[in-house]
Amino acid sequence: QSGAVATHPSNDTWRRPVRTFRVKMVLLGGSSVGKSSLALRFARSEFRSVVPTVGCAYMTQVTHLRDVSIRFEIWDTAGQEKYQSMLPLYYRGARAALLLYDISQRETFSRAQLCLQELEKVSTPGSTLTWLIGNKTDLEHHRQVSEQEGRSLASEKGLYFTEMSALSGDGVSQLLEEIGRCPPSVF
């Protein structure tokens, strides 16, 4: 869903038009995998220990890449079981879905797979860029899910894959850039 075309002056000269794309991005996964912390990293470049999300939280972030601006509309969903029936409301229309798990908690890897199954039920094939993300690489010494396991699942399901740390910020800006480099037809 593209937005308006705008021009921006620079040193009394005009650059070519900049297209702005709106991207609804939904963060999915179990409780305590770092969805809210990642959303804060995206939107405000900060880290805070956060309390569990109730229902869903919403933030925005604009990223500029060459001649394109992307306005990410970030929907941070709750990971608790009692909110699971509401999740399809937030998936609808998402152009990017980030399935998070905590590399130091094996059960969160299984939960990410369940979220993927639910996402597949409500999304049109090819309409949503889906990333499998191993979060909390700062807890490498407590790792329970190997990077290869994550890569294998992503490859098997046709997902993008990365590992990162919302705490340290490692890999976060690269992920936004990767999503931003996707063909505009996706958005």
Side-chain angles (χ1 to χ4, degrees):
Q1 300 162 7
S2 62
V5 175
T7 56
H8 301 279
S10 172
N11 297 333
D12 296 327
T13 61
W14 292 92
R15 295 187 316 170
R16 65 180 157 191
V18 174
R19 290 199 62 153
T20 300
F21 294 97
R22 183 177 62 86
V23 177
K24 179 179 180 181
M25 181 168 58
V26 63
L27 299 158
L28 307 168
S31 294
S32 302
V33 297
K35 297 181 302 295
S36 297
S37 296
L38 181 58
L40 281 171
R41 263 296 170 206
F42 279 156
R44 299 188 188 115
S45 296
E46 64 183 47
F47 179 85
R48 267 190 271 161
S49 293
V50 293
V51 297
T53 303
V54 176
C56 189
Y58 175 80
M59 298 177 205
T60 62
Q61 168 63 20
V62 177
T63 300
H64 305 284
L65 303 169
R66 289 193 182 183
D67 59 348
V68 175
S69 290
I70 300 171
R71 182 177 191 268
F72 288 100
E73 297 175 349
I74 305 162
W75 294 82
D76 171 21
T77 63
Q80 301 96 333
E81 286 293 323
K82 64 184 174 182
Y83 298 112
Q84 297 311 298
S85 64
M86 296 171 33
L87 291 181
L89 299 172
Y90 303 116
Y91 300 165
R92 200 165 294 133
R95 296 292 176 237
L98 308 182
L99 299 166
L100 276 77
Y101 65 92
D102 175 346
I103 68 162
S104 69
Q105 300 292 323
R106 176 153 297 281
E107 67 274 4
T108 65
F109 188 62
S110 298
R111 179 77 184 115
Q113 293 172 62
L114 292 174
C115 288
L116 176 60
Q117 290 172 0
E118 292 302 312
L119 179 63
E120 290 171 337
K121 288 179 188 176
V122 297
S123 64
T124 305
S127 67
T128 305
L129 291 172
T130 307
W131 289 80
L132 180 63
I133 299 172
N135 191 29
K136 301 189 182 184
T137 55
D138 49 283
L139 298 176
E140 178 67 36
H141 57 287
H142 294 295
R143 183 184 281 273
Q144 292 182 1
V145 181
S146 73
E147 183 176 352
Q148 185 54 45
E149 286 177 275
R151 285 193 186 284
S152 294
L153 176 63
S155 177
E156 173 188 323
K157 298 292 187 175
L159 311 175
Y160 294 92
F161 175 79
T162 193
E163 288 192 336
M164 66 177 46
S165 170
L167 173 66
S168 70
D170 289 344
V172 175
S173 61
Q174 294 89 335
L175 175 62
L176 282 175
E177 289 174 17
E178 294 265 338
I179 294 170
R181 286 191 190 103
C182 292
S185 61
V186 174
F187 304 123

